[in-house]
Amino acid sequence: MSSAVLYCAMALLVVSVLGPISSANAQSMPSQAQIEQLKSLPRAQQEALAKQFGIDPSMLDSLNSQSFSSSDQNQQQESVIFPRGTRFDDNGDPIIPEDLEEQFTREKDELKPFGYELFAGEPKSFSPTGYAPVPSNYIMGVGDTVKVQLFGKENRSYDLTIDREGKIVVPDLGELNIAGLSYTLMQELIQNQVKQRLIGFNAAVSMGELRSIQVFIAGEAYKPGSYTISSLSTISQALYLAGGFSDIASLRSIRLMRAGEVVSDFDLYDLLLKGDASDDKMLQSGDVVFIPTRGDMVTVKGEVKRPALYELKGDETLEDAIRFAGGSEDSAYLSSAQLQRIVKGKRLISTVDLTSEKHLNKELQGGDVLTLRKVSDSLENSLLLVGAVTRPGHYEWYEGIRLNDVLRDPRHDLLEQADLAYGLVVRETGPQRDLSLYQFNVAEAVSGKTEENLILQERDQIVIFSRYQTKEQEEQQLSRFTLTEQERQADERQKMLAEYREAFLQDLVQSKKSSEEDERKRLLEQEQQRTPLTDLFGSPDKDDVDIADEELALYSRDKLLEPIMQRIENQRTSNGNTPLVYVAGEVNHPGVYPLVENASVSRLLDAAGGVKDSAYLKRAEVTRFAFNKDTAQTDYLSVALNDVLNGEMDVPLQGRDRLNVLSIPEWQNTYEVTLKGEVRFPGTYAIKRGETLTQLIERAGGFTDHAFIEGAVFTREDLRQQEQERKKILAQELQREVAGNMLTGTGDSRVSYSEVRNLLADLLSAEPIGRLIMDLPKLLAGNGANNVQLKDGDTLHVPSRKDSISIMGEVQMATSYRFDPELTVDEYISRSGGTKEKADEDRIYIVKANGAIERYEGGSSWFSFSNNSQLGPGDTIIVPMDTTYTENLELWSQVTGIIYNSAVAIAAINGL
């Protein structure tokens, strides 16, 4: 059978039970869960489904991973037992139950009474079977058939039926009375008689067809009544024919009544739990199988192999209840099980020790609920190692173990990025599980230095940090080989980090049963509601910037300290302060850190990654907040930082202390200025504080012979930011003014909403340049007068000589022309096709090559610049938009001016 055919069969059967598959999955195989549900159906229902949908039932063999040869299939007996509730059509074939979908979707975790499903079948017919072997103690009776085969001078074969007088008649031998004899005695009797009375013959005796008997099944059977069954049938087989038990039947006291007396009291638990069928007696004609109502029930659930409801019989104990449930799971916490019991109409709860003989012998009562709980997932007798280590995970704890028993070799046990100066041991103490933190120098601890090589306690967590804060820093500093090796172990490392975080965050999560997604949302909400920790210490340091979580290195301080900080944020020290300290200023990793045991300035500096080269070592300052009953007091402690770093002194720290590491006076980081274009030695130059533009140009060798100094563009970063803010303010003001005019109906109605949007879009898309307008030739000739003092990030663009002039704005064709000193502004505008309808011819202005703006003499006095407007190479003629054309808005002139001037500056820079 092809896989395609099997797929179609399974898909059709699954659809018939579970409904149509969604279109998104229409071409995919049914899920494993759906296939398992289909396979859980009895064989008879599977065949009924297959027949109803025209599928060959033999395909079910492949579905159920069964392989039968054709000869085996011919020898199979037809199934006569169907699930309870099965209905049959006129041909005797089963009809699919209407509640089949409910059978699939029923709650699997729902506890049910034990043993009832085993007999929950229904026979297709009540005809007796004749294929079962006959036991040696079988009692011969009226209606049984005996097969006698004679061997000797000739072979003869006879099928002899016991008549009503209990006899059979063997030809040439006569009558033999065998009724009441066991099967073995009957065989011996016939064989002996043949040997004695028929000379030269031997006999082979076996059973033929068995007689049928009629029994009555009464009481709490699923279908009580009279049944014709095989004479070999027992009590349990009769129960199958009756469809099992009703919902209130007893399985502990099934009575076999014969002639008004109890012949056997059958406890079905003996058969189901111990395999003891000694009381499962063989039935005789006229017997009555009586099933009483069940007695008291107890519930056993939790960490047991077979949780269910069990029936009590006699003085059974907790030990019996566990035996009924198949025993406890390996993960069960036997020393503290939970027993619920109804006493005087109230449900009471008690704790029982199932390792105690006294508690195991405690008698059960009806309605008891025994729950075995799971042992804690936390590992006892263990340590947890996380962070920048090669083998994170749990390690065995033993008395006297130290850090270097876990971290033995820095080369083999630590990752390349591990910070060798800063590590933490996190320990839970007291009934409130408060955190105590112990800081150590990793390198010194591994080398065995006693002060740093801490003695560990059970369940301590050892945290090793990376010396880098961001992924970008790690990638720049670490080799590709190192990163690749770490990526191969990423899954295991992430698993250990998640376990580490859970150890601290689980107390913050109120519902243990919530999904991981719900937990993440709840923690995110808590994070958003929390006040930033830096607010406890006043204004944060300018260097203490927040880094996005996705940009943080895996073992960075921010990432590994976050769960610890969330836990200790609500703790208090002995003097009532929050156990947090803050370091600001000239350190490598400024920010908030947890207060460790024996905290000091030197410890805090190690946690912050050490001091920068710019740190002022003669003095640092500790700000301390002291709380009295009614007031709060702030003290300042001066610290000789150089002595602290040399180990000559140290200053203890308290909760909420703030350490400020000062910068060396007049210290500056490297300032850089860029020279581009026609400079003899262009490039980026490091400058000293106070250096001027003319001094830098001298260092760069001056300009080349092709330099167009008049058109130089000088840009500055803080001016660019100011322009950007100015643009935003103008856009908001323009939007408000247009909206106000539209609401009040003032202004010229010729302006359209789309025109306003386009202008605003142009304004916001215009790139700010940050140009500082200067007359560079005059500045260079001034011998230092009015010189420009340089700042970090300044850039000077010196273009090549230009012989062109440009025209922009409201003209028919904005373009550039070769500079001709004999042409006027009007002539250049005429060459561009003249002005447009929206042009403001009274406000035409000129942007000089150096960025200065001069009004055109023929226009009005919009700009208060010199009246000697002379065109030169590199100049740009701007024809602005007529603001009266668009509702006479005062802001439009400023907006269009910014757009045009930005375009002129960008064109000058791009022309280098």
Side-chain angles (χ1 to χ4, degrees):
M1 178 181 62
S2 69
S3 59
V5 175
L6 179 59
Y7 161 72
C8 293
M10 287 192 296
L12 187 55
L13 290 178
V14 169
V15 169
S16 69
V17 175
L18 301 179
I21 302 174
S22 66
S23 58
N25 298 324
Q27 300 301 323
S28 61
M29 285 288 289
S31 69
Q32 186 62 35
Q34 291 174 326
I35 293 175
E36 290 300 325
Q37 288 178 339
L38 181 62
K39 290 168 66 176
S40 67
L41 285 176
R43 174 73 180 200
Q45 277 193 352
Q46 290 182 5
E47 291 181 353
L49 282 168
K51 289 179 181 179
Q52 179 168 329
F53 290 92
I55 298 172
D56 187 353
S58 64
M59 292 182 179
L60 298 172
D61 297 334
S62 298
L63 176 63
N64 294 317
S65 300
Q66 298 173 349
S67 177
F68 299 108
S69 66
S70 58
S71 60
D72 292 335
Q73 291 179 3
N74 293 334
Q75 293 175 4
Q76 281 186 314
Q77 300 178 27
E78 182 183 4
S79 176
V80 296
I81 300 299
F82 290 83
R84 179 178 292 177
T86 304
R87 295 180 293 115
F88 303 93
D89 57 21
D90 295 337
N91 298 323
D93 294 325
I95 301 173
I96 300 173
E98 295 177 356
D99 63 344
L100 185 58
E101 184 174 351
E102 295 180 8
Q103 295 181 26
F104 269 94
T105 58
R106 67 177 182 268
E107 183 60 50
K108 292 184 178 180
D109 295 334
E110 179 185 354
L111 293 182
K112 297 181 179 180
F114 170 69
Y116 284 72
E117 289 186 350
L118 181 65
F119 295 91
E122 187 164 330
K124 178 178 178 180
S125 65
F126 301 128
S127 56
T129 177
Y131 299 98
V134 179
S136 59
N137 62 347
Y138 176 74
I139 304 300
M140 306 299 295
V142 177
D144 285 338
T145 300
V146 180
K147 289 182 176 291
V148 180
Q149 291 180 310
L150 300 178
F151 303 95
K153 295 181 290 186
E154 56 180 322
N155 295 334
R156 303 174 189 173
S157 180
Y158 305 105
D159 288 339
L160 308 173
T161 302
I162 302 175
D163 61 19
R164 293 185 178 181
E165 295 180 358
K167 300 176 182 179
I168 60 171
V169 179
V170 182
D172 299 331
L173 190 62
E175 292 184 351
L176 294 176
N177 194 344
I178 62 173
L181 298 178
S182 67
Y183 175 55
T184 303
L185 290 178
M186 179 273 296
Q187 287 178 310
E188 293 177 356
L189 174 64
I190 295 176
Q191 290 171 348
N192 290 335
Q193 289 294 322
V194 169
K195 287 181 180 180
Q196 294 175 8
R197 297 170 59 184
L198 297 178
I199 305 302
F201 282 95
N202 289 319
V205 182
S206 63
M207 284 297 297
E209 291 187 7
L210 299 176
R211 71 183 183 275
S212 296
I213 62 174
Q214 195 169 35
V215 297
F216 193 80
I217 301 178
E220 297 301 327
Y222 179 65
K223 284 191 175 181
S226 178
Y227 292 90
T228 299
I229 60 177
S230 167
S231 56
L232 291 177
S233 299
T234 62
I235 298 174
S236 60
Q237 292 167 343
L239 293 175
Y240 269 114
L241 295 179
F245 305 92
S246 70
D247 293 337
I248 60 171
S250 171
L251 273 63
R252 305 296 307 272
S253 183
I254 302 169
R255 296 195 281 272
L256 173 60
M257 313 289 292
R258 184 173 296 161
E261 297 183 358
V262 178
V263 176
S264 175
D265 191 349
F266 183 26
D267 186 347
L268 198 58
Y269 277 21
D270 291 338
L271 174 62
L272 298 179
L273 300 177
K274 299 185 289 186
D276 181 6
S278 57
D279 290 330
D280 189 14
K281 302 297 185 181
M282 196 173 294
L283 300 176
Q284 296 182 13
S285 186
D287 284 352
V288 175
V289 178
F290 179 73
I291 308 170
T293 56
R294 69 186 179 200
D296 293 336
M297 302 287 285
V298 296
T299 301
V300 184
K301 61 181 182 178
E303 296 300 308
V304 292
K305 293 183 173 65
R306 188 174 48 243
L309 279 70
Y310 295 93
E311 183 181 354
L312 296 178
K313 181 182 180 182
D315 300 332
E316 288 168 326
T317 63
L318 290 176
E319 185 175 13
D320 294 318
I322 297 173
R323 178 173 56 83
F324 292 160
S328 60
E329 295 281 7
D330 295 336
S331 58
Y333 186 50
L334 299 177
S335 299
S336 181
Q338 183 187 91
L339 179 64
Q340 296 182 33
R341 173 167 291 176
I342 299 174
V343 179
K344 296 182 179 179
K346 299 179 180 179
R347 185 172 292 277
L348 306 179
I349 189 170
S350 61
T351 301
V352 291
D353 182 1
L354 297 182
T355 62
S356 165
E357 193 70 26
K358 176 183 176 181
H359 285 188
L360 284 174
N361 292 329
K362 187 173 185 177
E363 290 187 8
L364 293 169
Q365 296 181 11
D368 283 356
V369 179
L370 177 63
T371 305
L372 274 66
R373 291 173 287 200
K374 192 176 181 180
V375 296
S376 172
D377 290 333
S378 62
L379 291 175
E380 303 297 325
N381 202 42
S382 69
L383 304 166
L384 179 62
L385 176 64
V386 294
V389 294
T390 55
R391 289 174 291 276
H394 293 277
Y395 288 77
E396 179 189 3
W397 174 87
Y398 53 85
E399 194 71 38
I401 187 173
R402 290 180 177 267
L403 281 169
N404 67 349
D405 293 319
V406 180
L407 300 171
R408 304 187 179 193
D409 189 327
R411 184 176 297 276
H412 297 107
D413 293 339
L414 300 175
L415 296 181
E416 185 178 336
Q417 66 264 41
D419 190 336
L420 299 181
Y422 180 47
L424 285 181
V425 171
V426 185
R427 182 175 298 162
E428 290 183 347
T429 58
Q432 300 295 326
R433 295 174 58 202
D434 289 338
L435 295 186
S436 296
L437 289 87
Y438 299 84
Q439 183 176 330
F440 62 94
N441 184 291
V442 179
E444 294 179 355
V446 174
S447 65
K449 187 176 180 180
T450 305
E451 294 81 0
E452 304 296 328
N453 191 22
L454 304 176
I455 297 177
L456 301 174
Q457 294 186 11
E458 188 176 9
R459 298 186 66 190
D460 278 354
Q461 298 190 8
I462 307 167
V463 186
I464 306 297
F465 299 89
S466 169
R467 61 179 182 272
Y468 306 113
Q469 278 291 84
T470 65
K471 294 178 182 177
E472 183 180 1
Q473 291 174 336
E474 279 192 345
E475 291 172 357
Q476 290 174 352
Q477 301 296 329
L478 300 181
S479 67
R480 184 66 248 173
F481 173 79
T482 300
L483 291 173
T484 303
E485 285 297 312
Q486 293 182 23
E487 288 168 0
R488 291 174 184 169
Q489 303 169 354
D491 291 344
E492 185 64 26
R493 295 183 185 282
Q494 289 286 2
K495 179 181 177 183
M496 295 311 305
L497 282 179
E499 185 174 339
Y500 161 76
R501 288 177 59 83
E502 184 181 356
F504 298 109
L505 300 182
Q506 60 184 353
D507 291 344
L508 303 176
V509 180
Q510 299 176 0
S511 174
K512 300 278 186 177
K513 297 182 180 179
S514 61
S515 66
E516 293 183 5
E517 183 64 27
D518 292 339
E519 289 186 16
R520 282 194 293 270
K521 290 181 179 178
R522 185 179 296 106
L523 291 176
L524 180 60
E525 291 174 359
Q526 291 180 354
E527 181 68 26
Q528 293 172 344
Q529 293 172 1
R530 288 209 324 267
T531 303
L533 297 179
T534 52
D535 289 358
L536 298 173
F537 304 89
S539 300
D541 187 68
K542 61 182 178 61
D543 294 327
D544 186 13
V545 295
D546 288 332
I547 303 174
D549 187 67
E550 60 273 10
E551 297 177 4
L552 288 172
L554 191 59
Y555 311 119
S556 63
R557 285 162 165 76
D558 285 356
K559 211 153 199 173
L560 292 180
L561 287 176
E562 178 199 8
I564 299 175
M565 305 285 254
Q566 291 189 32
R567 275 281 295 273
I568 68 175
E569 189 178 352
N570 297 320
Q571 291 181 201
R572 291 291 181 269
T573 61
S574 58
N575 60 1
N577 282 327
T578 306
L580 299 170
V581 289
Y582 185 44
V583 57
E586 302 305 306
V587 292
N588 288 309
H589 303 298
V592 181
Y593 288 86
L595 182 72
V596 299
E597 301 295 322
N598 299 322
S600 65
V601 170
S602 63
R603 291 286 190 190
L604 183 55
L605 292 176
D606 287 340
V611 298
K612 295 180 180 179
D613 295 337
S614 56
Y616 183 59
L617 300 182
K618 290 187 177 180
R619 187 174 73 87
E621 189 174 77
V622 174
T623 304
R624 177 163 297 167
F625 300 93
F627 294 95
N628 298 324
K629 291 184 178 180
D630 301 322
T631 62
Q633 183 177 352
T634 303
D635 295 326
Y636 302 99
L637 306 178
S638 183
V639 179
L641 205 57
N642 205 17
D643 293 341
V644 171
L645 295 175
N646 292 332
E648 298 175 4
M649 65 163 291
D650 211 346
V651 176
L653 294 179
Q654 301 177 7
R656 287 197 67 185
D657 277 359
R658 172 180 177 138
L659 173 63
N660 188 22
V661 179
L662 306 174
S663 175
I664 295 175
E666 302 297 327
W667 174 271
Q668 63 175 31
N669 293 320
T670 302
Y671 286 178
E672 293 182 342
V673 174
T674 302
L675 301 181
K676 295 182 178 181
E678 297 299 328
V679 182
R680 288 193 180 276
F681 301 104
T684 300
Y685 288 81
I687 64 169
K688 63 182 179 181
R689 194 171 181 180
E691 191 167 354
T692 63
L693 180 58
T694 56
Q695 291 172 332
L696 180 60
I697 292 173
E698 269 185 40
R699 289 171 55 193
F703 303 106
T704 67
D705 295 338
H706 304 287
F708 181 44
I709 304 176
E710 294 81 359
V713 178
F714 185 86
T715 61
R716 178 162 284 173
E717 180 61 25
D718 55 358
L719 294 178
R720 189 191 68 80
Q721 294 175 359
Q722 291 176 17
E723 287 181 16
Q724 182 70 21
E725 292 300 319
R726 177 59 180 162
K727 279 200 317 175
K728 292 180 181 178
I729 293 172
L730 280 175
Q732 294 172 356
E733 291 178 357
L734 182 61
Q735 204 167 14
R736 280 198 300 268
E737 190 165 348
V738 171
N741 287 350
M742 288 183 175
L743 289 174
T744 59
T746 60
D748 194 338
S749 61
R750 288 177 294 173
V751 68
S752 67
Y753 180 71
S754 61
E755 287 178 323
V756 177
R757 286 182 57 88
N758 291 338
L759 187 61
L760 286 173
D762 290 342
L763 174 62
L764 295 175
S765 63
E767 183 179 351
I769 301 301
R771 183 173 184 177
L772 178 63
I773 297 174
M774 66 175 65
D775 189 344
L776 187 57
K778 183 177 179 181
L779 185 145
L780 294 175
N783 296 324
N786 300 321
N787 212 331
V788 176
Q789 195 171 80
L790 297 174
K791 293 185 178 181
D792 186 35
D794 286 351
T795 303
L796 178 65
H797 306 260
V798 182
S800 302
R801 288 192 177 276
K802 290 188 176 182
D803 57 357
S804 63
I805 192 167
S806 303
I807 183 166
M808 300 176 64
E810 299 303 311
V811 292
Q812 300 299 333
M813 179 63 70
T815 186
S816 297
Y817 299 94
R818 186 178 181 280
F819 174 70
D820 186 346
E822 296 182 0
L823 294 179
T824 64
V825 173
D826 290 335
E827 289 173 329
Y828 279 114
I829 294 175
S830 297
R831 288 191 174 190
S832 295
T835 59
K836 294 182 180 179
E837 182 183 358
K838 297 181 182 180
D840 189 349
E841 297 180 1
D842 294 333
R843 297 189 180 186
I844 297 174
Y845 63 96
I846 300 166
V847 179
K848 304 296 288 182
N850 63 1
I853 299 176
E854 295 184 359
R855 68 176 178 85
Y856 172 47
E857 289 181 352
S860 64
S861 57
W862 182 31
F863 294 101
S864 57
F865 289 98
S866 171
N867 290 329
N868 298 322
S869 179
Q870 299 292 329
L871 289 175
D875 290 354
T876 303
I877 302 170
I878 304 295
V879 181
M881 181 185 293
D882 185 1
T883 57
T884 60
Y885 181 83
T886 52
E887 297 191 357
N888 197 23
L889 296 178
E890 293 296 333
L891 293 174
W892 283 73
S893 60
Q894 300 180 48
V895 170
T896 55
I898 288 176
I899 295 173
Y900 291 140
N901 294 344
S902 297
V904 169
I906 292 173
I909 293 173
N910 292 338
L912 294 181

